[in-house]
Amino acid sequence: MVQIKPFEVEQWMDRYENTPEILNIAETCAASVSIDELEGFSTDKNTPSPLSRTLKLTYGHIRGSPTFHKNVASLINNGTPLRTSSPRPPPLEAENVLITQGAIAANFLVFYTLVGPGDHVICVYPTYQQLYDVPQSLGAEVSLWRLKVEDGFIPDVAELERLVKPNTKMIVINNPNNPTGATTPESVLAAIVTFAQARGITILSDEVYSPLYHSLPEGQAAPPSILAFGYDKAVATGSMSKAFALAGIRVGWVATRDRGLIDDLAHARDYTAISVSQLDDQVATYALSRAVLPSLMERNMTLARTNLQLLSSFVEKYSSVCSWVKPTAGTTAFLQFRQNGVPVDDVKFATELVDWKVMFVPAGRCFGGGKDFRGYVRIGYVSHTDVLTAGLENLGRYVEKHLL
């Protein structure tokens, strides 16, 4: 029987996020929008509503609607181009996209299709627990590619030589990274591709927080999708949840230049889902349209920058007990709290803050367990600004009473 470990971060969120009057600064999605708000972002008032009342609610297009496929392919093709002088690969075609129930389903399908007993997987760490525990549950050996504070949580490609094995099947990355908010730049991505291509290793890049690259250092461009490098064994996953503020429609995708793999993934998906909801597909297609996407992303980028400044001011104010590597992208920040120079018990810390009406995620339990991230918590800071402001005020009062 497949052994599936408890999905700690999801269980923690489910346990506390509906606590009465809780200030949820654990949420990892850009503050969600309504259908009415989404329609307000459109620059073309002749664009049909995202929800058709006359549509017959059949299964619809089994792999997702053609227009949504085109919009996802355009999102990837119109991302940051490669800055190297290497020949650029042809644009990704719409047929090289498969629509799924969120990125979580996309990731699962990739593992389920490609990984099994006897395989070896290398996965960045910390990251979303699914990315290393699912391949392990399928019988693969998993080596953790540990991200270091001193490197700004950017992967050190030189370590791949130590981690790789003759049976390495896949390298798993997450860009931007959850929980650290770090960005893996193009040069590092290129080195990962070169390493994997020389050995025929598949790369799975979870890009669920892309393209929310909101706070990169001056002169640093947002990285491209892993698919921009033209490697046929590169796979990218994404979703409407995080960067696009539409978690409630449960739509994601997997994309690769390997058309045969898309077919294999679709065959595997037949056992878990017939199709994505037609209603969800309509909303997602509308959100990624040329009339809506720029304004939606401008809203989310502005919200991320505004709120990150608030969180940065908090860290600066309490720097004697709190530290971080400041995020450059995504919606999450990784903070370590200390008392008298010693990392706090992050589970106890996070549990006590619930009584102060503040919710965030303890990293020791939800991002690896043990002593790997003692004192660390993950804060989702791209909530509505008033929620973050009130949450940080309560957190500050707790810090002043118990840690200073």
Side-chain angles (χ1 to χ4, degrees):
M1 184 176 71
V2 173
Q3 297 296 316
I4 300 177
K5 296 179 181 178
F7 204 155
E8 294 289 357
V9 69
E10 297 300 337
Q11 293 189 10
W12 185 275
M13 296 283 286
D14 185 56
R15 183 180 303 125
Y16 292 112
E17 63 186 338
N18 292 316
T19 300
E21 300 179 357
I22 197 74
L23 294 162
N24 186 351
I25 55 173
E27 181 56 66
T28 57
C29 303
S32 298
V33 297
S34 67
I35 296 295
D36 284 345
E37 289 173 307
L38 189 64
E39 288 185 305
F41 291 125
S42 179
T43 57
D44 181 0
K45 300 311 175 185
N46 294 320
T47 301
S49 167
L51 288 174
S52 169
R53 293 180 178 272
T54 61
L55 179 71
K56 298 296 183 183
L57 297 179
T58 65
Y59 286 115
H61 294 277
I62 299 304
R63 296 192 181 190
S65 69
T67 304
F68 188 49
H69 279 224
K70 290 178 183 177
N71 287 356
V72 172
S74 294
L75 182 72
I76 294 170
N77 291 329
N78 295 332
T80 304
L82 294 180
R83 304 179 77 181
T84 64
S85 58
S86 302
R88 293 181 183 174
L92 185 76
E93 296 183 6
E95 292 76 13
N96 288 69
V97 176
L98 178 67
I99 308 307
T100 62
Q101 279 84 355
I104 194 168
N107 291 333
F108 191 92
L109 281 173
V110 173
F111 292 131
Y112 182 75
T113 303
L114 294 179
V115 173
D119 291 330
H120 175 244
V121 173
I122 298 170
C123 183
V124 295
Y125 179 82
T127 192
Y128 197 49
Q129 183 181 340
Q130 179 199 35
L131 298 180
Y132 49 87
D133 269 355
V134 168
Q136 191 171 54
S137 75
L138 294 171
E141 177 191 3
V142 177
S143 294
L144 300 178
W145 188 4
R146 296 176 184 271
L147 307 178
K148 302 183 182 69
V149 172
E150 55 267 31
D151 294 333
F153 294 120
I154 295 172
D156 180 359
V157 181
E159 291 196 7
L160 285 176
E161 291 286 358
R162 178 179 59 83
L163 295 171
V164 74
K165 298 184 177 185
N167 62 332
T168 300
K169 186 71 171 291
M170 186 181 293
I171 296 171
V172 183
I173 62 175
N174 175 208
N175 197 29
N177 178 261
N178 168 24
T180 68
T183 298
T184 302
E186 179 185 327
S187 59
V188 175
L189 294 176
I192 295 170
V193 171
T194 298
F195 182 92
Q197 195 165 18
R199 296 161 178 81
I201 299 171
T202 296
I203 303 170
L204 170 58
S205 180
D206 181 330
E207 298 173 0
V208 72
Y209 291 91
S210 178
L212 206 59
Y213 295 100
H214 49 74
S215 302
L216 295 169
E218 186 175 354
Q220 180 179 332
S225 168
I226 198 69
L227 302 183
F229 296 89
Y231 181 37
D232 61 356
K233 287 194 172 185
V235 182
T237 58
S239 131
M240 299 303 299
S241 299
K242 310 300 184 181
F244 304 106
L246 290 166
I249 63 173
R250 306 309 305 131
V251 175
W253 57 84
V254 55
T256 175
R257 294 184 179 277
D258 183 349
R259 187 73 59 81
L261 178 56
I262 289 292
D263 290 339
D264 291 342
L265 293 167
H267 296 158
R269 199 192 68 165
D270 287 342
Y271 287 94
T272 61
I274 303 300
S275 64
V276 172
S277 157
Q278 284 207 73
L279 301 180
D280 293 349
D281 189 306
Q282 284 186 75
V283 176
T285 300
Y286 181 88
L288 293 187
S289 67
R290 286 183 293 180
V292 177
L293 180 60
S295 298
L296 175 61
M297 284 308 301
E298 181 181 4
R299 176 262 192 188
N300 293 345
M301 294 283 269
T302 299
L303 184 62
R305 290 173 179 140
T306 298
N307 288 7
L308 183 59
Q309 184 55 51
L310 293 174
L311 185 55
S312 183
S313 296
F314 176 90
V315 174
E316 183 177 351
K317 180 177 181 179
Y318 296 108
S319 59
S320 62
V321 296
C322 178
S323 61
W324 68 347
V325 174
K326 188 175 181 178
T328 57
T331 66
T332 62
F334 210 41
L335 281 65
Q336 187 183 49
F337 286 86
R338 303 173 303 279
Q339 185 176 33
N340 299 322
V342 178
V344 300
D345 180 331
D346 47 277
V347 174
K348 180 174 179 289
F349 180 54
T351 303
E352 289 180 355
L353 260 297
V354 172
D355 291 335
W356 291 64
K357 302 303 181 184
V358 179
M359 176 190 171
F360 47 64
V361 172
R365 172 173 293 179
C366 299
F367 289 93
K371 299 181 179 179
D372 284 340
F373 306 112
R374 183 79 172 174
Y376 277 93
V377 301
R378 185 191 71 181
I379 290 178
Y381 59 88
V382 194
S383 56
H384 290 291
T385 301
D386 59 340
V387 173
L388 180 66
T389 299
L392 293 179
E393 287 176 354
N394 284 11
L395 177 57
R397 285 194 284 270
Y398 176 95
V399 167
E400 290 173 6
K401 182 175 182 178
H402 294 285
L403 299 187
L404 293 179

